Each structure stands twice: as structure tokens, then as C-alpha cells.
Amino acid sequence: MGLYSLVRPAVFTLDGERAHRLTIAGLKAMPRRAPHSAPTAMQVELAGLRFPNPVGLAPGFDKDAEVFDRMFGFGFGHVEIGTVTPLPQPGNPKPRLFRLTEDRGVINRMGFNNAGQQAALVRLSRRDRTKGIVGVNIGANKDSDDRIGDYARGAAAMAKVADYLTVNVSSPNTPGLRALQDEGALAALLEGVMDAKREPGGERGPPVFLKLAPDLEPADIDAVVRVAIMHGVAALIIGNTTISRPDLRSKHAGEAGGL
Ligand SMILES: Cc1cc2nc3c(=O)[nH]c(=O)nc-3n(C[C@H](O)[C@H](O)[C@H](O)COP(=O)(O)O)c2cc1C
């Protein structure tokens, strides 16, 4: 029996969000281990970055950049922190994270709960950049009256501490956010981000990845890819959680959010 099957029943007695919070607290209390070393055959080169292996930790786990350096010791080749928004925000009312145990899945509607980009910036600016690749996932505040501008603000603030930036227009949990995947809005957004990430001296800044929802229509995918290429997006991240629902058995199957 593996460690996971021993620990899982205990963790599952806790509400999912509490288990996550305790995990982060536990990780913060742990000494940092040296990054895991992978065989060179595992390396992946992308957008001028050399990823030591192809497995990274997706955003949503270390939203506030508290434990990314610990995660390298567990074998992750890169860690993406966030989503961070310009201003701190509490996210949606709880409960907002549901285990679908029988379906071996999760539904969440966290809603970009995060301590804001300044808090993450302070931690990231202290990091040892030789220890691993850190991507910064940026989003817009729910109450912002300039959501497109929020992405430029995020890019400007985080460019110097990020190995790559991810523009996240794919969360199903900020009403209206995914409309930023529409051609016109996306073009304006990416233009702002590409401008903002440049150093005043002319340095190009980190590569920009675009994270998409898996629920786009085929015709929309064409348009999004065209706009992404036109604006110099280095890679697409496919994809965020889905609002679609396959046949599910768990009692939480009807909860709103991303599966
Ligand atoms: C609880 C939870 C919180 C998440 N928060 C974020 C987030 O803040 N930003 C983001 O881009 N994706 C977020 N995600 C999506 C994940 O990064 C990932 O794209 C998604 O879970 C799909 O990958 P999977 O099929 O391996 O789960 C979150 C996912 C979960 C389950």
C-alpha cells in the first residue's frame, strides 16, 4: 500500500479547502529540499526556457507564491503560481471546493481568492532563480472596471520575477471573464500585456503563455489561435477546468464551478 492510500482517508475527513490550507501551512514549516534531478533526456525546451522535466504544478495550488520552492524538491520541473490579481480579493463564499469522491474529481468555484500581486511579488523577488522555473499566472479582479487593464498591470508588476507569464482568461468562476477569449477583447488584452512586460530599456521580458478554457467551440479556437500567434504568445495552456458535465455519480455533481 502506497503512502497516498494510507494518508488519503485521514485527509478526506477534512473539508477540501481546509485540507489545502493545512497542506500549505505544513509545507511552509518544512525545510527546503534540493530540487529533484531528472535525467537530461527528460528536458523540454520551450520559449527559450529549459524545463528540467515535463511535469509542472498547475496554478491554484500555490496561489500566493508561498511554497513554490518546496515543490521543486518533490520533482516538479516547474511551478506556476497564482492566479494573482492586482488587488487582493476574498473569492466566492464558502463552501466553494467540492470533492467528487466517487468520480475521482473535484469541482471548484474559488473565484480567484488571492492576497494580491504585491504579496506574491515580495516573495518571488527573494527567490533563487537557479532552483527552478516559476510561471506567474495573472488575472483580473472581479470588481475591476478595467479588466483588460488588470492584465497589463499584472504583466508590468510580475515580469521581472517571472520566468514566464500566463494570461488566464479561462476561469469559469469570475463571471464574464471567459468573454476575454473573444477575438477583439483578446487582441486588446494581449497588446496591453506585451507592451507592459517590456523593460523600459527595451528588454522583451518573459515569454507569455495563454491559458484557455476547454469549452471553446472549434470555430472560436481558430480565432483565438490566430490572435495569439499575431501577438507573439509563445504557447497555449490547454486547459482550465470545464463547465461541461459528463455522467457523474457524486452528490456534489450539481455544484456550479469548474470540474
Ligand atoms: C481548486 C482549484 C483551484 C484552481 N485555481 C486556478 C487558478 O487560480 N488559476 C488557474 O489558471 N487555474 C486554476 N485551476 C485550474 C488548474 O490549474 C488546472 O488547469 C485544472 O485543474 C485542469 O487540470 P487537471 O485536469 O489536471 O485538473 C484550479 C483548479 C482547482 C481544482
Side-chain angles (χ1 to χ4, degrees):
M1 201 199 261
L3 182 63
Y4 180 67
S5 30
L6 284 172
V7 171
R8 196 179 100 142
V11 174
F12 273 33
T13 63
L14 301 172
D15 152 78
E17 189 165 350
R18 194 170 144 77
H20 177 238
R21 222 176 19 255
L22 288 172
T23 303
I24 299 286
L27 286 165
K28 281 168 81 170
M30 269 177 60
R32 291 171 183 79
R33 291 194 293 180
H36 205 265
S37 72
T40 44
M42 302 281 279
Q43 287 180 2
V44 178
E45 281 222 33
L46 175 71
L49 299 170
R50 180 168 297 171
F51 293 81
N53 70 59
V55 181
L57 182 59
F61 181 76
D62 190 13
K63 279 182 184 266
D64 292 319
E66 296 175 286
V67 296
F68 58 88
D69 50 354
R70 267 80 169 183
M71 305 320 287
F72 296 129
F74 290 99
F76 290 106
H78 65 285
V79 176
E80 190 169 312
I81 70 98
T83 296
V84 289
T85 53
L87 301 175
Q89 63 177 28
N92 288 322
K94 297 175 189 171
R96 54 192 180 179
L97 175 60
F98 305 89
R99 287 194 193 92
L100 276 63
T101 308
E102 296 81 358
D103 301 302
R104 307 184 68 186
V106 164
I107 288 176
N108 92 84
R109 51 168 180 268
M110 308 301 287
F112 288 170
N113 55 310
N114 78 107
Q117 68 191 22
Q118 188 56 33
L121 181 66
V122 168
R123 291 187 193 109
L124 290 170
S125 55
R126 288 197 293 252
R127 82 182 164 104
D128 176 350
R129 296 187 75 150
T130 65
K131 291 280 193 282
I133 291 178
V134 176
V136 175
N137 182 303
I138 54 177
N141 279 114
K142 181 177 176 222
D143 297 330
S144 171
D145 49 20
D146 177 19
R147 284 190 174 169
I148 288 181
D150 276 9
Y151 288 85
R153 279 183 274 283
M158 308 310 278
K160 50 189 172 304
V161 297
D163 293 309
Y164 67 87
L165 290 169
T166 296
V167 167
N168 179 18
V169 284
S170 53
S171 170
N173 301 315
T174 297
L177 190 90
R178 287 168 305 146
L180 296 175
Q181 294 172 125
D182 294 346
E183 213 171 336
L186 186 62
L189 189 159
L190 289 175
E191 214 171 295
V193 164
M194 296 300 175
D195 245 22
K197 70 162 182 140
R198 277 193 197 96
E199 296 283 320
E203 281 290 316
R204 283 167 50 221
V208 172
F209 300 168
L210 178 65
K211 183 167 180 176
L212 301 175
D215 304 313
L216 290 172
E217 297 296 326
D220 297 336
I221 296 175
D222 288 352
V224 165
V225 171
R226 206 170 38 243
V227 172
I229 292 172
M230 234 160 58
H231 287 85
V233 167
L236 301 176
I237 299 181
I238 315 290
N240 214 312
T241 50
T242 179
I243 54 166
S244 75
R245 293 289 183 270
D247 267 344
L248 297 169
R249 292 179 295 150
S250 311
K251 67 169 188 255
H252 295 304
E255 292 292 344
L259 172 70

